[in-house]
Amino acid sequence: MEVITEKREDRQMLMVMHLSQLLNFISGFGGIIVPLILWQVKKEEIRDIDHHAKQIINFQISYYIYFAVAALLCIIFVGVLILPFLGLIALIFPILNGIKANNGEPINYPLTIQFLK
């Protein structure tokens, strides 16, 4: 269970970390690099950044795998149906979890493989 952060500035930084995943739509890998950098820079200052960062990294790695598989499945036209669904999830859940982090609520990313625990 996640510890709720008391300081408003800490919650805002967690929100920025979640929303930074949207950089994937611009740069491709910014959505994993920016949270990694923020995690390393702020890990001593923000109490529960470790939990949020691990969830974000797990989500990003999982969805890179899912996108790669869906791209391969485009050969048999199944991926054409899967790619928009994955794109919507990659757009919606960072925004929802950014809002939840800002409100101090627990976060959840669907279909995430737990690489980091």
Side-chain angles (χ1 to χ4, degrees):
M1 176 103 326
E2 173 186 9
V3 179
I4 297 175
T5 306
E6 291 94 20
K7 291 174 37 182
R8 182 81 179 149
E9 297 82 22
D10 292 350
R11 292 195 314 260
Q12 289 175 342
M13 179 57 71
L14 294 173
M15 178 184 68
V16 167
M17 195 163 72
H18 286 282
L19 294 178
S20 70
Q21 295 175 81
L22 300 176
L23 289 171
N24 280 340
F25 291 102
I26 298 169
S27 67
F29 285 101
I32 195 166
I33 293 170
V34 173
L36 274 171
I37 292 170
L38 290 175
W39 182 20
Q40 293 306 309
V41 170
K42 298 288 188 178
K43 66 182 173 185
E44 300 298 325
E45 299 172 29
I46 301 175
R47 181 174 41 166
D48 53 347
I49 197 167
D50 191 56
H51 171 73
H52 286 263
K54 287 178 181 177
Q55 293 300 315
I56 290 169
I57 302 303
N58 287 334
F59 177 71
Q60 289 295 311
I61 293 170
S62 298
Y63 275 83
Y64 286 138
I65 292 169
Y66 297 150
F67 275 112
V69 169
L72 289 173
L73 290 175
C74 282
I75 295 169
I76 58 172
F77 301 108
V78 176
V80 175
L81 301 174
I82 298 172
L83 280 174
F85 175 72
L86 291 174
L88 279 174
I89 290 174
L91 176 68
I92 292 170
F93 278 92
I95 295 170
L96 290 177
N97 284 319
I99 293 168
K100 286 181 178 182
N102 193 36
N103 293 335
E105 300 171 12
I107 60 165
N108 180 38
Y109 285 101
L111 306 172
T112 301
I113 303 166
Q114 297 296 316
F115 296 102
L116 303 174
K117 294 184 181 191

